[in-house]
C-alpha cells in the first residue's frame, strides 16, 4: 500500500458506458467516404515513365480512329484497360463486354517496345473472337520528335 497511499482509484468515476458504438459509426462513415469518393486509380499501378511505343516508318499514314477502346500492354506482361489492371482471362471478358456496345468496334493496342509478338497476336486473337472488326497496333513515326512542336 505504500505505492497507493491516497487510494485515488476508488474515488474516480467509472468510465461511461455506451460510447463503443460511436467508434463503429466512425469506421463505417470512413468506409463509406472512401468507397463513394475514392478513385480506382489511387494506389493503382499505371503506365511508367519508360513506356514507349515502337517506332515504324509510315506509322502516321495508316493512322485511323478507334471506338475509344484502348488497352496498354507493358513489357512485363501487364495489361491495362480503362478499368485498370487485368490478366488475359479478364481481358477476354472485358473485350466481349465492350464489343457489344458499338456497331463496328475497333480496338487500339498500345504495346511497349519490349512486348513480344506472341503476346500481341494472342491479344489480337482474343479481340477478334470477342467481335472487334478492326484491331490496330499503336506505333510512333520513326525519327519524329513528338515532344516538341514543329517550327518553321
Amino acid at each position: 500500500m505504500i505505492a497507493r497511499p491516497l487510494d485515488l482509484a476508488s474515488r474516480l468515476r467509472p468510465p461511461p458506458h455506451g460510447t463503443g458504438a460511436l467508434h463503429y459509426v466512425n469506421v463505417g462513415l470512413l468506409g463509406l467516404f472512401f468507397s463513394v469518393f475514392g478513385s480506382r486509380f489511387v494506389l493503382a499501378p499505371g503506365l511508367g515513365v519508360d513506356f514507349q511505343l515502337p517506332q515504324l516508318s509510315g506509322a502516321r499514314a495508316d493512322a485511323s480512329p478507334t471506338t475509344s477502346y484502348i488497352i496498354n500492354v507493358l513489357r512485363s506482361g501487364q495489361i491495362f484497360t480503362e478499368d485498370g489492371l487485368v490478366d488475359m482471362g479478364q481481358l477476354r471478358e472485358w473485350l466481349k463486354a465492350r464489343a457489344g456496345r458499338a456497331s463496328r468496334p475497333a480496338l487500339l493496342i498500345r504495346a511497349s517496345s519490349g512486348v513480344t509478338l506472341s503476346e500481341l497476336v494472342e491479344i489480337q486473337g482474343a479481340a477478334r473472337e470477342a467481335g472487334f472488326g478492326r484491331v490496330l497496333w499503336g506505333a510512333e513515326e520513326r525519327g519524329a520528335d513528338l515532344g516538341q512542336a514543329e517550327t518553321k
Side-chain angles (χ1 to χ4, degrees):
M1 283 297 174
I2 294 175
R4 298 182 186 164
L6 300 177
D7 194 25
L8 294 176
S10 65
R11 291 181 175 86
L12 292 175
R13 279 185 289 178
H17 299 288
T19 59
L22 182 62
H23 301 294
Y24 294 115
V25 170
N26 284 339
V27 169
L29 287 175
L30 280 173
L32 177 69
F33 175 79
F34 282 114
S35 66
V36 171
F37 297 111
S39 171
R40 62 189 163 107
F41 298 109
V42 175
L43 298 178
L47 295 179
V49 178
D50 62 343
F51 182 82
Q52 292 182 356
L53 291 174
Q55 294 185 359
L56 177 69
S57 296
R60 291 186 185 171
D62 291 335
S64 60
T66 63
T67 54
S68 74
Y69 299 122
I70 301 172
I71 62 172
N72 299 304
V73 184
L74 299 182
R75 183 178 318 149
S76 61
Q78 295 176 321
I79 303 170
F80 289 93
T81 65
E82 60 190 24
D83 296 330
L85 180 65
V86 297
D87 61 6
M88 196 59 191
Q90 294 170 334
L91 178 65
R92 291 181 192 279
E93 297 300 320
W94 185 86
L95 289 170
K96 287 178 186 175
R98 296 309 186 271
R101 291 184 183 176
S103 61
R104 294 174 51 195
L107 177 69
L108 174 62
I109 301 173
R110 294 190 309 186
S112 181
S113 297
V115 177
T116 62
L117 184 61
S118 62
E119 290 175 310
L120 289 174
V121 169
E122 184 179 3
I123 293 171
Q124 183 176 5
R128 296 278 184 185
E129 288 175 8
F132 281 89
R134 295 183 60 210
V135 179
L136 305 170
W137 294 353
E140 291 180 352
E141 185 71 33
R142 185 180 304 262
D145 188 11
L146 300 175
Q148 298 177 359
E150 294 180 16
T151 57
K152 292 186 180 183

